[in-house]
Amino acid sequence: MVMRKVDLRSDTVTKPTEAMRAAMATAEVDDDVLGHDPTARRLEKEIAKAMGKEAGLFVPSGTMGNLISVLIHCDVRGSEVILGDYCHIHIYENGGISTIGGVHPRTVKNNEDGTMDIDQIEAAIRDPNFEICYPKTKLICLENSHAHSGGRCLSAEYTDRVGELAKKYGLKLHIDGARIFHASVALGVPVHRLVQAADSVSVCLSKGLGAPVGSVIVGSESFIAKAKILRKTLGGGMRQVGVLCAAALVAFQENVGKLEEDHRKAKTLAEGLNKIKGLKVDIDSVETNIVFFDIKKETNISETKLCKILEGYGILALPEGPFRMRLVLHHQISESDVQYSLSCIQQALTGVRDENGGI
């Protein structure tokens, strides 16, 4: 019998708080496509200021924010973007930059910490003297924190080096900042410093910050002017969008300060998992709110079977790959939820061992 529900699938599963719902109910609104929604303008200005950029634009999702940004920087079809082989834009955004924008991705191997080697990035930049055959390199993309690396953080110094390389070759730098506030808190570095070298940033509000919907892209005034047009083209121009932006403002104002606690609970979860026979966690890789753990093959249970067993306890998780799972903490997961999850995972593995004669 399910005693409680603990949803660790992602930090996108949070429910709006009462403060968010109240803000949505009383939000001052107008037509945002015409540029007159006051709540949207306020959110955009606050996020842009926090990021140290001139202007911002609310979009329905981080995927749209990244797509708009790449399309603006790669404004000629057939242009090329350099990005990590395990970055979100390349793996999880439906190939939109290619199918919609005609942008060619040139991947560089992501290291375990989410970085790409600077010399490999430079080697991937096309020689403009052979443009009769090569696509033209226009953009470099980074992701911070890097989700597929377990929420690892890119330092300001590393990002600066990539930014210097981009400038050297006349390229632009975009940062997929889906969890940029997580990186800022974990590194103890102001968020504007982490994106100082970037020409544009996509900032997700519906992940760790817990807003029900939306992201904000930030950049120069001219960049955002172009972004508004592309947002409309892609179907992201909404009307009284202040209803959504009101909740996002509450998330931004109230939940950034809770991220440190999410990181602490993630570490507690990781350390607890590592003590369970049959599981393995790279503790040092747990820098923010994402925990990957491996199931040792001798345990004789697949990641999908373990997910199914845990669902019976009310714990929701996602398989990450063969014998690998991902758990994500957020502000609506309590310390008690963490301990309950550890207890249930222990029971699940003990039950499997008993079924297999103590193996």
Side-chain angles (χ1 to χ4, degrees):
M1 181 182 295
V2 174
M3 301 300 294
R4 67 203 291 180
K5 181 178 178 182
V6 182
D7 197 336
L8 298 170
R9 292 173 298 168
S10 179
D11 46 9
T12 61
V13 302
T14 56
K15 304 298 187 290
T17 62
E18 288 304 313
M20 290 179 192
R21 294 179 186 275
M24 293 170 75
T26 59
E28 185 182 0
V29 299
D30 204 323
D31 191 322
D32 185 53
V33 174
L34 299 179
H36 298 309
D37 190 294
T39 308
R41 297 292 80 77
R42 181 182 168 199
L43 173 67
E44 291 162 350
K45 287 179 181 177
E46 288 203 18
I47 298 297
K49 182 179 178 181
M51 296 289 149
K53 305 301 180 185
E54 291 179 358
L57 182 70
F58 182 80
V59 292
S61 69
T63 295
M64 183 181 285
N66 287 329
L67 177 60
I68 288 172
S69 299
V70 172
L71 266 56
I72 291 172
H73 295 310
C74 299
D75 54 353
V76 177
R77 290 185 68 84
S79 299
E80 192 165 73
V81 54
I82 296 171
L83 72 181
D85 63 342
Y86 272 132
C87 76
H88 199 279
I89 293 175
H90 184 58
I91 301 294
Y92 296 111
E93 298 184 4
N94 300 105
I97 62 172
S98 299
T99 58
I100 296 174
V103 178
H104 188 260
R106 184 163 169 82
T107 60
V108 172
K109 180 178 174 56
N110 278 121
N111 298 316
E112 289 187 2
D113 63 358
T115 62
M116 298 176 282
D117 290 343
I118 299 293
D119 59 345
Q120 290 188 25
I121 297 175
E122 186 166 21
I125 299 172
R126 301 290 188 174
D127 182 353
N129 295 318
F130 202 49
E131 62 181 4
I132 189 67
C133 291
Y134 291 158
K136 184 175 182 180
T137 308
K138 301 272 283 186
L139 175 67
I140 302 171
C141 289
L142 299 176
E143 179 183 338
N144 200 10
S145 66
H146 198 274
H148 208 282
S149 298
R152 303 287 289 273
C153 304
L154 276 57
S155 69
E157 292 75 19
Y158 172 79
T159 305
D160 287 348
R161 291 179 64 199
V162 177
E164 289 166 5
L165 181 66
K167 285 185 171 61
K168 177 181 175 181
Y169 288 92
L171 311 179
K172 299 295 185 181
L173 173 62
H174 172 70
I175 295 178
D176 174 2
R179 296 181 177 88
I180 191 67
F181 288 105
H182 283 288
S184 172
V185 169
L187 294 170
V189 176
V191 69
H192 67 83
R193 178 65 188 88
L194 288 183
V195 300
Q196 183 175 296
D199 296 284
S200 60
V201 187
S202 176
V203 183
C204 189
L205 303 170
S206 63
K207 289 189 170 70
L209 298 191
V213 177
S215 290
V216 172
I217 49 177
V218 297
S220 67
E221 292 279 3
S222 61
F223 172 86
I224 293 301
K226 294 174 184 176
K228 287 180 181 178
I229 297 170
L230 258 179
R231 181 184 67 174
K232 185 68 167 66
T233 303
L234 294 170
M238 298 177 283
R239 301 299 176 176
Q240 287 72 39
V241 73
V243 172
L244 299 176
C245 292
L249 271 167
V250 172
F252 174 57
Q253 293 164 353
E254 295 187 357
N255 290 344
V256 173
K258 298 177 182 178
L259 298 180
E260 186 173 4
E261 187 66 11
D262 292 345
H263 298 174
R264 187 191 64 78
K265 285 181 285 192
K267 203 77 168 182
T268 298
L269 179 62
E271 290 169 350
L273 289 168
N274 212 33
K275 294 176 182 177
I276 296 176
K277 184 178 180 181
L279 303 183
K280 182 180 179 181
V281 181
D282 179 1
I283 299 295
D284 292 338
S285 72
V286 182
E287 297 179 358
T288 55
N289 66 320
I290 300 175
V291 178
F292 285 173
F293 70 90
D294 296 307
I295 306 168
K296 296 179 181 179
K297 291 185 179 181
E298 60 266 26
T299 305
N300 208 25
I301 182 173
S302 69
E303 71 287 351
T304 52
K305 183 177 180 180
L306 181 54
C307 281
K308 189 66 177 177
I309 294 172
L310 292 177
E311 192 174 336
Y313 290 103
I315 299 170
L316 304 181
L318 287 178
E320 182 65 22
F323 299 99
R324 190 168 175 84
M325 287 178 59
R326 183 185 88 154
L327 305 175
V328 184
L329 281 292
H330 51 80
H331 74 102
Q332 291 176 336
I333 297 294
S334 67
E335 183 67 43
S336 174
D337 290 332
V338 170
Q339 296 304 322
Y340 174 74
S341 299
L342 287 170
S343 174
C344 292
I345 293 169
Q346 174 71 75
Q347 290 179 49
L349 290 174
T350 299
V352 170
R353 285 195 293 270
D354 290 345
E355 288 177 8
N356 291 291
I359 296 175

